[in-house]
Amino acid sequence: MNREVSYFKQFFISVVIGFTILFIASLIWNIHGENLSTYELAKVEAEGNFNKDLTFRRWTATHGGVYVPITDSTIANPYLNFLPDRDITTTTGKKLTLINPAYMHRLVFQMSNKKDGQFGHICNTSPLHPENKADEWEEKALKLFTTGTEEEYYSTELINGKEYLRYIKPMRVENHCLKCHANQGYKVNDIKGGISISIPMDKYKPILRAKIKSIIFNHLIIFLLTFIVGALSYRRIIKVVRQRDASRIKAKENEEKLKEQNKKLIWANEKAIESDRLKTIFIQNMSHEIRTPMNAILGFSSLLLDEFDNKSKLTEYTKIITQRGNDLMFIINDLLDISKIESKNLSVNIEPLNLKTLFSELLPLFHEIQKRNEKSHIKLVIPTITEDLILYTDKGKLKQIFTNLVGNAFKFTHEGKIEIGMKIDNPRFITFSVKDTGIGIPPEKLNSIFDRFAQVEQSSSRLYGGTGLGLSIVKGLINKLNGEINVASEINMGSKFYFTLPYKKQNLIMEYTNPNNNINHN
Ligand code: ADP
């Protein structure tokens, strides 16, 4: 994957993870806040209740208590029997009893506690009535008040398995309290008790649940919207990056194509220059190659008249004239051949050819070449063929190929041997080779050696003679016969030209070289 695309992918994944963490944190924070505010609400309710209870108590205390009729549930307070006017009878004979603030609260709380689950309790560390005795939680709070650590105290507690917010505030002894409590040693401003309110949390739970649901819903909507917008932006960015990359790649490809075309143009230009140069050299060579035999022919022809009576001279000059005439003929034939190959006008005559016959006919020709090149000291090795091997090819062309290659071998070899090889190691091809121990071909020339007019050294035409057409004719002929030619060579060690031709005999692996069959023309 493209580096930039994978970077954006990683970035997008990180942003999604980051946002998810943020949303979860926000969700937890909001739910927690909502939970706290529910307890705050319960506390406000408890505080309100406390203030109302305290006001009632004060009002009752400032009046030194209130008189109420005695009933089954409201009996005379036995803890006030030290007061002479605890019980009174009205002028109409109604019996009333004095209700002090603590007793009143106890009675009111008994009534309300039964009703709505929330309950209040007036508590004291040393109450007159045992019911007003502070429980453990209240006692702990009262202790905090008397030491001055807290002004109010609240917490959530489990009572009978239900959750309550418990709230308590102290009550300070006021003057009017002394009426009932002076005998207990109370002094004004002392903290002797408090009122505790317990609010059941049950009633806040449905509200809390609804709020939490709404928080979750809002968060989900925001999260989904953010995610969709993010994903769409991500897709857009990736598309733009990919499009930009594609156009970059396209531009690079075009640049490469241009470079390639440029290279081809440069190569074609170099080739054209080289071909032009070779043509010029070729024309120079050609005029030299034609002029040399022509000069000989003209020179010896004019000498013929002077030596008309001298039979031996006449024979010698005629031979030279014929020889040079043949040389001219070879050059003209080569020119004709190359023009036929180039214009694709070369025709072949495929017929069965017995290789035994081929080599028996080639041998005198090789002999002739060797003689003409004055290389009788060089060994010539040809394959020994005992059986009849039939090849379907153009005999004349194949002979031309061999005479050309063997002609070059003799021309460029001064010592050693020339070896003709034949191998059938592939059911579809036969491989012939012409190997010499001559001057060799430099590696940088091996690729161009089969091009027309190509010669290793420009001076070689003068040193060795030749037009530079032979190998390109050989290659053209072999290609026409559906074969291929190649060369391996090493400077001063020799060269091996090897070429393949189609062959039909199946499953045959044979090598035809016979070192014993050397033909040494010493
Ligand atoms: P020509 O022999 O007329 O110059 P060819 O096309 O036959 O032209 O050969 C081209 C060149 O290849 C030769 O000039 C020579 O430099 C090199 N060459 C061909 N055959 C051999 C060989 N057997 N050994 C060394 N060089 C060779």
Side-chain angles (χ1 to χ4, degrees):
M1 195 195 287
N2 174 306
R3 267 181 61 194
E4 236 175 327
V5 171
S6 79
Y7 166 76
F8 276 116
K9 196 174 178 183
Q10 276 175 13
F11 177 73
F12 180 70
I13 291 170
S14 317
V15 169
V16 169
I17 293 171
F19 265 106
T20 311
I21 292 171
L22 207 70
F23 274 94
I24 292 172
S26 162
L27 196 66
I28 293 171
W29 176 257
N30 274 277
I31 291 173
H32 176 69
E34 211 46 65
N35 212 23
L36 282 183
S37 69
T38 305
Y39 287 100
E40 267 314 301
L41 275 181
K43 188 207 148 196
V44 169
E45 189 188 347
E47 203 173 3
N49 277 326
F50 171 85
N51 288 333
K52 186 187 71 198
D53 291 343
L54 191 67
T55 311
F56 276 121
R57 179 189 165 80
R58 271 211 188 107
W59 182 86
T60 315
T62 50
H63 290 86
V66 290
Y67 282 96
V68 300
I70 298 172
T71 62
D72 290 345
S73 53
T74 312
I75 55 164
N77 187 350
Y79 299 97
L80 295 180
N81 53 12
F82 62 92
L83 291 175
D85 51 354
R86 184 191 75 175
D87 301 316
I88 56 169
T89 308
T90 63
T91 49
T92 56
K94 227 181 209 174
K95 290 207 181 280
L96 300 176
T97 186
L98 184 68
I99 304 291
N100 65 315
Y103 188 24
M104 181 192 75
H105 267 125
R106 203 167 55 247
L107 292 170
V108 172
F109 285 154
Q110 269 168 8
M111 186 187 273
S112 69
N113 288 355
K114 278 179 202 158
K115 216 173 145 209
D116 56 8
Q118 86 179 35
F119 54 85
H121 185 227
I122 185 152
C123 57
N124 203 318
T125 43
S126 50
L128 286 173
H129 193 286
E131 252 190 59
N132 291 346
K133 173 93 183 104
D135 63 22
E136 207 179 313
W137 181 85
E138 289 165 334
E139 213 165 297
K140 182 174 140 198
L142 288 173
K143 216 172 263 171
L144 291 172
F145 299 147
T146 46
T147 53
T149 318
E150 297 285 349
E151 282 293 310
E152 65 175 4
Y153 182 75
Y154 61 93
S155 65
T156 51
E157 301 292 328
L158 280 177
I159 300 171
N160 296 331
K162 272 172 78 175
E163 193 189 13
Y164 283 84
L165 180 107
R166 295 201 71 184
Y167 179 88
I168 184 168
K169 244 182 148 176
M171 287 185 302
R172 292 188 181 271
V173 176
E174 294 171 8
N175 265 331
H176 37 256
C177 304
L178 298 176
K179 180 182 173 185
C180 305
H181 297 286
N183 57 350
Q184 286 175 274
Y186 281 22
K187 279 193 242 48
V188 171
N189 229 18
D190 273 356
I191 292 174
K192 289 293 176 187
I195 297 173
S196 78
I197 308 290
S198 299
I199 305 287
M201 292 309 294
D202 285 5
K203 60 181 177 182
Y204 286 98
K205 293 285 168 173
I207 305 168
L208 181 63
R209 269 199 293 274
K211 281 187 175 173
I212 288 175
K213 266 186 199 162
S214 143
I215 289 170
I216 292 174
F217 179 75
N218 291 343
H219 272 74
L220 272 181
I221 292 286
I222 293 170
F223 181 80
L224 281 178
L225 284 177
T226 316
F227 183 79
I228 288 168
V229 170
L232 289 177
S233 315
Y234 168 75
R235 266 182 57 175
R236 178 92 198 115
I237 290 170
I238 295 297
K239 200 174 163 190
V240 169
V241 169
R242 287 211 167 114
Q243 274 170 353
R244 199 194 55 201
D245 284 356
S247 50
R248 264 191 204 157
I249 290 169
K250 192 99 198 128
K252 191 125 188 88
E253 276 172 10
N254 286 343
E255 196 184 312
E256 292 296 320
K257 266 188 205 157
L258 275 177
K259 272 187 193 163
E260 196 56 38
Q261 277 171 359
N262 224 12
K263 259 191 209 162
K264 278 184 189 160
L265 280 176
I266 291 170
W267 182 81
N269 191 35
E270 280 170 0
K271 195 96 180 137
I273 293 170
E274 177 65 6
S275 153
D276 207 45
R277 196 178 66 83
L278 286 176
K279 256 184 219 155
T280 313
I281 294 169
F282 170 71
I283 289 166
Q284 285 167 1
N285 282 351
M286 199 51 99
S287 53
H288 172 78
E289 291 295 316
I290 292 174
R291 198 174 289 150
T292 310
M294 272 306 253
N295 278 341
I297 291 169
L298 290 175
F300 284 101
S301 303
S302 60
L303 284 178
L304 277 182
L305 287 176
D306 302 337
E307 305 290 346
F308 204 70
D309 295 327
N310 187 338
K311 184 110 193 273
S312 73
K313 285 279 180 199
L314 213 58
T315 317
E316 188 192 340
Y317 293 169
T318 317
K319 255 189 183 174
I320 294 172
I321 290 167
T322 315
Q323 182 62 51
R324 297 299 157 232
N326 277 336
D327 288 349
L328 268 180
M329 195 58 123
F330 279 133
I331 292 171
I332 290 161
N333 281 343
D334 272 3
L335 279 173
L336 271 176
D337 281 347
I338 198 77
S339 81
K340 277 186 197 161
I341 289 167
E342 301 258 307
S343 62
K344 309 219 181 311
N345 272 333
L346 191 76
S347 58
V348 286
N349 179 25
I350 304 292
E351 53 187 357
L353 168 64
N354 192 331
L355 290 177
K356 222 158 62 170
T357 320
L358 174 78
F359 281 106
S360 65
E361 284 179 24
L362 275 174
L363 196 59
L365 293 179
F366 293 159
H367 186 187
E368 176 59 36
I369 294 166
Q370 190 175 25
K371 202 170 164 195
R372 207 179 331 128
N373 279 276
E374 296 169 355
K375 299 283 173 66
S376 52
H377 59 286
I378 289 174
K379 273 184 190 171
L380 175 68
V381 183
I382 64 160
T384 307
I385 305 170
T386 47
E387 58 189 308
D388 288 332
L389 288 174
I390 307 298
L391 190 67
Y392 285 83
T393 192
D394 185 316
K395 181 177 165 191
K397 302 275 184 293
L398 188 52
K399 279 166 95 171
Q400 197 180 344
I401 292 164
F402 269 115
T403 48
N404 244 307
L405 291 175
V406 172
N408 274 346
F410 275 117
K411 186 158 76 173
F412 296 106
T413 306
H414 305 299
E415 293 293 336
K417 63 175 177 181
I418 291 164
E419 197 175 340
I420 317 282
M422 192 181 95
K423 213 162 81 165
I424 307 171
D425 56 0
N426 182 308
R428 287 183 300 136
F429 291 106
I430 181 164
T431 307
F432 295 103
S433 61
V434 177
K435 189 177 159 194
D436 64 50
T437 53
I439 60 170
I441 301 163
E444 70 276 9
K445 295 281 179 181
L446 285 176
N447 275 341
S448 60
I449 208 74
F450 296 103
D451 292 348
R452 65 200 161 127
F453 318 140
Q455 291 178 312
V456 168
E457 278 182 328
Q458 306 315 329
S459 62
S460 72
S461 61
R462 261 163 277 141
L463 197 61
Y464 293 102
T467 56
L469 288 178
L471 286 182
S472 62
I473 292 172
V474 165
K475 185 178 163 76
L477 293 175
I478 291 171
N479 289 164
K480 188 73 191 171
L481 296 175
N482 296 322
E484 272 179 30
I485 182 162
N486 227 315
V487 61
S489 185
E490 212 179 316
I491 284 285
N492 294 329
M493 296 301 286
S495 309
K496 183 178 180 183
F497 286 85
Y498 49 97
F499 63 95
T500 56
L501 287 180
Y503 183 72
K504 287 212 178 104
K505 199 161 183 176
Q506 302 287 319
N507 302 327
L508 201 63
I509 299 179
M510 293 182 216
E511 190 155 359
Y512 296 90
T513 44
N514 188 350
N516 299 326
N517 194 31
N518 294 354
I519 297 165
N520 198 338
H521 297 271
N522 278 329

